[in-house]
Amino acid sequence: MEEQKKREKSTNEESAKGGPGKDSPVVESKLEDGAGTGKPKIGDSRPAPNADKPDSHTRKKRKRRRSKASNSSRGNPENISLELDDETLKKRRGRERKGKAVGRYTMVVHVEDKVTQIAMLEGRSLIEFYVSRPSDDISEIHGNIYMGRVENVLPGMEAAFVDIGTPKNAVLYQSDLIKNASSKSNEIVRIEDVLKNKDSTLCQVTKNPIAHKGARLTQEISLAGRFVVLVPNSETFGISKRLPEKERKRLRQILEKAKPAEHGVIVRTAAQHITKEEIEQDVTRLVHQWKEIVKQSSKADTPKLLYREPEMPFRMIREEFNKEYRSVVIDDFDLFEEVKSYLATVAPALADRIEYHDNSSDELDLFERFYVDEQLAKALDSKVWLPSGGSLIIEHTEALTVIDVNTGKNVGTSSLEETVYRNNLEAAKEVAHQLRLRDIGGIIVIDFVDMEKAQHRNEVMKTFREELARDKTRTQVFGISELGLVEMTRKRIGEGLTQTFTKAQE
């Protein structure tokens, strides 16, 4: 009897060691298969694949380029995933009503003829639209890292043209040079002293090529993860200002221990309520990516692509998707399976918000179901109607974009000043929406209807700035001038909705 009890006791101890407790986070090491082609996770796209080794597992239906990991990545920190306890998962699932997810936003992904179109909806209103083509290393290269070759240095323009393998040479401005740690902060570094013709330089694309202009580059490289951004060889230390002060203090304590000594780290808004282990894992994964990039750059012939950003759907999920999203609806089954697998790894609490729309069995196409086509058609028109009968006229020129606000059919009820004020309030909200939807960048001039009262002018500008604050693209707004005009700038990243939509139809 005593021997039997001892055996049972030893068996229980072994099983206890083998299975960790329910409430404790578990770290599992998931190794890649023998071919070294394990799936990358959101925010950890691998260094660019070698052109000599095409992927034999490419699907026939959608030949989308997949990045291969080198054999040395087996067992590396990138492949470690965290399992969260039930209580943590419940907190991150967001709100539900009658068993269905509740959220402010919806992401709709339509795939047709190898072109992926992504519509972002707030309620039923279309707020952003993107188009992505597979294997596009010419026009969609934002975030890619290259070993480029300097073709021409122009001291008078404080810029250098760099060959990165695209049809047009990219431009690297003097302000985008990496500053030497030994140089003084106020010391001006001349570009001709740093770069010479035929030099090799490690650089990252910050702006896609637009029309006749080549891509814009920077030597200040950054690698974006799900929760943090790694800034190699930098002392950067930052936390998103959109987070509450209490949460910022908590993350600051975590970051002080997780930050590598030789690199800078910026914590993203998505890190709210994220555990210490998840942030440390994200940092470790990005550091490993950077080491792989440096390793490739040391033996690369210029020009060469060293790192490619994930494809648009995965990039959007990494950047945007959170519990405020009701769902992500996809009408391509292969992409649906991949996205669901990705989310199960990086955001398991939200994995059940991925939905598949079968066009063959549903009466309506995906974009028709969510009224995307109808809203896109209106967004391509130069005239936009306001709820009370007023209108906007949006005109693009080579130098800037002009928006004219009219009262139109809005005749009001009490006084002219009140009518104009209410019309301008509606216009302020709609202008901010149209700038985001149409992806208008550069210099923008808005001609609001003249208002006599300073209080009304201030209220319109306050409303306009509040609406612009919801746009993740950086903007700079000046007050109403003596001529009644509002001047502003919005960072130009893409070509705009008109060009994007036109390409999608080609």
Side-chain angles (χ1 to χ4, degrees), residues 313-381:
F314 307 107
R315 194 162 68 243
M316 293 302 300
I317 287 173
R318 182 190 71 189
E319 303 290 334
E320 302 288 338
F321 192 60
N322 55 39
K323 64 183 181 181
E324 291 296 319
Y325 277 78
R326 179 185 304 152
S327 61
V328 176
V329 189
I330 305 171
D331 66 0
D332 180 85
F333 189 74
D334 291 337
L335 182 60
F336 164 75
E337 288 289 332
E338 288 183 49
V339 170
K340 198 170 182 68
S341 174
Y342 270 41
L343 269 180
T345 303
V346 299
L350 302 175
D352 59 351
R353 299 198 177 197
I354 308 299
E355 299 177 12
Y356 173 59
H357 176 92
D358 190 351
N359 287 326
S360 60
S361 61
D362 284 275
E363 294 182 3
L364 296 175
D365 289 339
L366 182 59
F367 273 12
E368 289 181 8
R369 172 184 162 190
F370 287 93
Y371 306 100
V372 174
D373 288 331
E374 179 184 336
Q375 294 184 69
L376 276 175
K378 291 181 179 178
L380 295 171
D381 193 357

Side-chain angles (χ1 to χ4, degrees), residues 151-165:
E151 291 294 317
N152 195 10
V153 180
L154 303 175
M157 298 297 294
E158 296 184 353
F161 287 99
V162 182
D163 182 6
I164 58 172

Side-chain angles (χ1 to χ4, degrees), residues 6-70:
K6 287 180 180 178
R7 287 175 186 171
E8 291 177 357
K9 185 178 180 181
S10 63
T11 304
N12 292 336
E13 287 177 353
E14 288 177 6
S15 61
K17 289 178 181 176
K22 178 183 176 183
D23 298 327
S24 60
V26 184
V27 179
E28 292 183 353
S29 178
K30 296 186 177 180
L31 302 182
E32 297 181 3
D33 56 20
T37 55
K39 278 189 178 181
K41 300 170 179 58
I42 295 295
D44 79 333
S45 90
R46 311 298 173 87
N50 195 330
D52 299 330
K53 299 179 181 179
D55 189 350
S56 61
H57 298 288
T58 305
R59 296 181 184 273
K60 293 181 180 180
K61 185 178 178 182
R62 300 178 64 253
K63 296 181 179 179
R64 297 178 24 247
R65 181 172 295 181
R66 303 170 188 273
S67 297
K68 282 190 176 183
S70 61

Side-chain angles (χ1 to χ4, degrees), residues 194-467:
V194 178
L195 297 176
K196 305 295 181 184
N197 287 354
K198 306 305 177 184
D199 279 357
S200 295
T201 181
L202 189 64
C203 50
Q204 185 173 31
V205 177
T206 58
K207 187 185 290 184
N208 285 322
I210 300 173
H212 59 279
K213 296 180 181 178
R216 181 165 177 175
L217 303 175
T218 181
Q219 288 186 333
E220 295 274 0
I221 291 171
S222 60
L223 293 172
R226 172 74 173 169
F227 308 120
V228 302
V229 176
L230 183 75
V231 187
N233 306 319
S234 169
E235 297 179 356
T236 303
F237 186 100
I239 299 173
S240 172
K241 293 181 179 178
R242 295 186 178 184
L243 294 171
E245 188 58 34
K246 185 177 179 181
E247 182 66 9
R248 284 167 57 87
K249 288 180 180 179
R250 183 187 75 88
L251 291 171
R252 190 176 292 111
Q253 293 175 352
I254 295 174
L255 195 58
E256 286 174 352
K257 297 179 181 178
K259 179 185 175 297
E262 66 276 19
H263 303 309
V265 176
I266 301 171
V267 179
R268 313 181 72 169
T269 310
Q272 188 170 12
H273 305 313
I274 295 303
T275 64
K276 172 187 174 183
E277 290 78 14
E278 288 174 287
I279 291 178
E280 289 176 345
Q281 176 193 330
D282 215 25
V283 172
T284 303
R285 182 167 60 236
L286 293 173
V287 170
H288 180 81
Q289 278 185 25
W290 174 244
K291 289 179 180 177
E292 288 293 315
I293 292 170
V294 172
K295 183 179 177 181
Q296 285 202 28
S297 67
S298 62
K299 53 185 178 182
D301 296 328
T302 57
K304 184 178 180 181
L305 172 63
L306 301 177
Y307 170 92
R308 182 185 291 107
E309 273 282 270
E311 291 183 42
M312 182 73 76
F314 307 107
R315 194 162 68 243
M316 293 302 300
I317 287 173
R318 182 190 71 189
E319 303 290 334
E320 302 288 338
F321 192 60
N322 55 39
K323 64 183 181 181
E324 291 296 319
Y325 277 78
R326 179 185 304 152
S327 61
V328 176
V329 189
I330 305 171
D331 66 0
D332 180 85
F333 189 74
D334 291 337
L335 182 60
F336 164 75
E337 288 289 332
E338 288 183 49
V339 170
K340 198 170 182 68
S341 174
Y342 270 41
L343 269 180
T345 303
V346 299
L350 302 175
D352 59 351
R353 299 198 177 197
I354 308 299
E355 299 177 12
Y356 173 59
H357 176 92
D358 190 351
N359 287 326
S360 60
S361 61
D362 284 275
E363 294 182 3
L364 296 175
D365 289 339
L366 182 59
F367 273 12
E368 289 181 8
R369 172 184 162 190
F370 287 93
Y371 306 100
V372 174
D373 288 331
E374 179 184 336
Q375 294 184 69
L376 276 175
K378 291 181 179 178
L380 295 171
D381 193 357
S382 61
K383 189 169 188 176
V384 181
W385 288 102
L386 300 175
S388 297
S391 65
L392 306 177
I393 303 296
I394 303 174
E395 296 289 347
H396 301 277
T397 69
E398 184 71 20
L400 49 80
T401 300
V402 180
I403 302 177
D404 185 32
V405 181
N406 301 309
T407 53
K409 300 176 183 178
N410 184 4
V411 294
T413 55
S414 55
S415 65
L416 176 61
E417 176 69 15
E418 187 67 19
T419 302
V420 169
Y421 168 57
R422 297 294 174 190
N423 188 81
N424 283 343
L425 279 179
E426 290 182 359
K429 296 177 181 178
E430 189 60 34
V431 167
H433 174 231
Q434 291 296 324
L435 293 179
R436 188 176 176 187
L437 172 59
R438 300 178 185 228
D439 194 18
I440 298 173
I443 299 172
I444 302 158
V445 176
I446 307 159
D447 183 12
F448 286 103
V449 185
D450 292 338
M451 295 171 284
E452 296 293 335
K453 295 183 179 179
Q455 181 185 352
H456 287 170
R457 291 196 293 270
N458 293 337
E459 283 295 321
V460 169
M461 289 306 301
K462 179 184 176 183
T463 301
F464 186 44
R465 288 192 170 97
E466 286 175 352
E467 292 296 317

